[in-house]
Amino acid sequence: MTPATISGSTHSSPQPHTSPVRWTTAEVAALYEMPFIDLLWRAQAIHRRHFDANEVQRSTLLSVKTGGCSEDCGYCSQSSRHSSGMEREKLLPLPEVLAAAQAARDKGATRFCMGAAWRGPKDRDMGPVLDMIKAVKGLGLETCVTLGMLKPGQAEQLKEAGLDYYNHNLDTDAEFYGQVITTHTQQNRIDTIGDVRAAGIKVCSGGIVGMGESRQNRAALIAQLANLDPAPESVPINNLVPIPGTPMAAKERLDHFEFVRTIACARITMPTSYVRLSAGRESMSEELQALCFIAGANSIFYGEKLLTSDNADAERDDALFAKLGLRAV
Ligand code: SAM
Ligand code: DTB
Ligand code: SF4
């Protein structure tokens, strides 16, 4: 197993198996401290060097195995340890998955992301998941799965089936992690990201903000992501969707400008990655979303649902893209 490179602390700390730290937490914290307009200007200038600033990639999500998860992630509706009322369901049959992927493609999504509420896939789960990947790939869509932590050999099986991206978020920085999740460690997730990389699959990894973490924690998360070697190709930034019955349900909502700053910091530190304006968009105004695009977000989840919660309406997204002159790619 090749451990992924990770760091978020200082230039001088020893980094076994790593290349030099590209971003320290202090440097990212200094970005957060910039005047808002200067920060957005810098992020937008960097964005334009690497991307067409009017293009946004669209992925559609489907929960292929919902609820009953053994893990205790404090934000998640699907943990069996919280009382969100979510029922444990079986793995969806292939025809149902294929129909959803076809509908997503017809609506204009270019990537189809299948999520499972597992700590990680069991050996017996792999066959049906591999069939899903092959079938979705056969429709001409890019494929992404998010299945939890992988055991040795599983990433290679996914690669062989034609998987393009594996989503596995760091979620929050190393320091705050234990206040959100106790059933696994952030290092476990870093190890899976390393396995995914070693198998030649592209990495989708980001985090959640709005869980009561400090700005320092947010800066450390961004530094950790940016210091992965290489940085993830896709970086979802989720704003907490408060789910009744979870420990995070009553957290104070994150200030909107702080959310935009987080997008800008991701863009500046990971200039060639797609930064996805992910969960939480349903409750965002058009103006706030536009600020996120100016800050360098260039990917969204498209379609009425995320995994278990509502997403922004596709029709509303189409109207917003038309108003802003954004092109879906
Ligand atoms: N079980 C797998 C895992 O943990 O990687 C895959 C599914 S999990 C639901 C995927 C990601 O969704 C989490 O890592 C988290 O970042 C995000 N997520 C889950 N619940 C959320 C919520 N209520 N608000 C915002 N993001 C959420
Ligand atoms: C990611 O970073 N966000 C998506 C996707 N990757 C799998 C999931 C968001 C889930 C939001 C809460 C829900 O729908 O349950
Ligand atoms: Fe399970 Fe993933 Fe939810 Fe954590 S985030 S409880 S691992 S489904």
Side-chain angles (χ1 to χ4, degrees):
M1 186 192 304
T2 314
T5 306
I6 194 86
S7 175
S9 47
T10 64
H11 276 302
S12 55
S13 59
Q15 299 294 320
H17 315 291
T18 68
S19 50
V21 173
R22 288 188 291 271
W23 288 90
T24 64
T25 298
E27 285 166 344
V28 180
L31 293 177
Y32 268 100
E33 295 296 321
M34 284 173 72
F36 185 72
I37 293 170
D38 287 349
L39 176 64
L40 260 59
W41 177 262
R42 180 159 165 191
Q44 177 66 201
I46 288 175
H47 189 42
R48 279 167 186 270
R49 253 179 252 151
H50 300 281
F51 292 99
D52 181 323
N54 301 304
E55 287 185 352
V56 176
Q57 186 274 335
R58 299 189 298 193
S59 297
T60 293
L61 271 172
L62 177 69
S63 179
V64 297
K65 158 65 186 80
T66 305
C69 184
S70 63
E71 303 306 282
D72 69 351
C73 311
Y75 47 79
C76 189
S77 62
Q78 307 201 68
S79 166
S80 60
R81 297 163 192 252
H82 312 323
S83 43
S84 65
M86 185 71 50
E87 297 291 330
R88 175 199 297 266
E89 291 175 16
K90 289 210 175 88
L91 193 62
L92 287 185
L94 182 60
E96 231 173 277
V97 175
L98 211 48
Q102 216 143 9
R105 187 193 60 184
D106 294 347
K107 276 198 148 182
T110 56
R111 190 176 311 155
F112 193 67
C113 180
M114 295 164 273
W118 289 325
R119 173 180 167 87
K122 302 216 165 39
D123 290 340
R124 65 163 185 269
D125 300 322
M126 289 304 283
V129 168
L130 299 175
D131 289 344
M132 289 175 191
I133 294 168
K134 287 179 201 153
V136 171
K137 187 91 178 155
L139 295 175
L141 283 160
E142 288 184 313
T143 51
C144 176
V145 294
T146 180
L147 313 173
M149 294 179 283
L150 296 178
K151 289 194 291 206
Q154 290 183 327
E156 287 72 16
Q157 287 179 280
L158 294 169
K159 173 70 183 172
E160 214 161 287
L163 184 69
D164 296 298
Y165 289 83
Y166 194 83
N167 166 251
H168 204 54
N169 293 336
L170 291 190
D171 283 324
T172 193
D173 80 311
E175 188 198 67
F176 195 65
Y177 204 86
Q179 290 185 51
V180 180
I181 299 150
T182 68
T183 46
H184 58 264
T185 63
Q186 201 207 40
Q187 187 58 48
N188 292 145
R189 292 184 83 88
I190 293 167
D191 291 343
T192 285
I193 292 170
D195 287 354
V196 166
R197 266 277 168 246
I201 300 166
K202 287 183 229 165
V203 170
C204 171
S205 186
I208 318 183
V209 292
M211 301 191 294
E213 76 287 341
S214 65
R215 177 179 271 189
Q216 184 75 7
N217 294 133
R218 287 186 283 276
L221 169 70
I222 297 291
Q224 280 198 295
L225 290 166
N227 289 330
L228 286 168
D229 191 19
E233 281 80 3
S234 168
V235 182
I237 304 293
N238 295 282
N239 199 4
L240 177 74
V241 177
I243 312 268
T246 64
M248 298 278 158
K251 290 287 173 197
E252 197 184 323
R253 306 312 311 274
L254 187 69
D255 178 74
H256 290 163
F257 296 113
E258 188 70 6
F259 184 79
V260 180
R261 282 179 188 277
T262 304
I263 298 270
C265 289
R267 167 51 63 223
I268 293 166
T269 57
M270 293 171 271
T272 60
S273 305
Y274 279 84
V275 175
R276 184 170 309 115
L277 166 55
S278 300
R281 213 162 54 75
E282 204 243 347
S283 62
M284 289 182 195
S285 69
E286 291 186 332
E287 294 82 356
L288 175 55
Q289 293 183 61
L291 277 179
C292 291
F293 294 131
I294 295 170
N298 61 349
S299 170
I300 58 167
F301 284 123
Y302 185 62
E304 78 242 18
K305 260 204 148 177
L306 293 168
L307 290 174
T308 67
S309 66
D310 289 343
N311 191 20
D313 244 42
E315 285 69 33
R316 203 183 120 198
D317 285 345
D318 294 345
L320 178 60
F321 274 42
K323 279 195 222 181
L324 299 179
L326 291 175
R327 291 183 301 277
V329 291

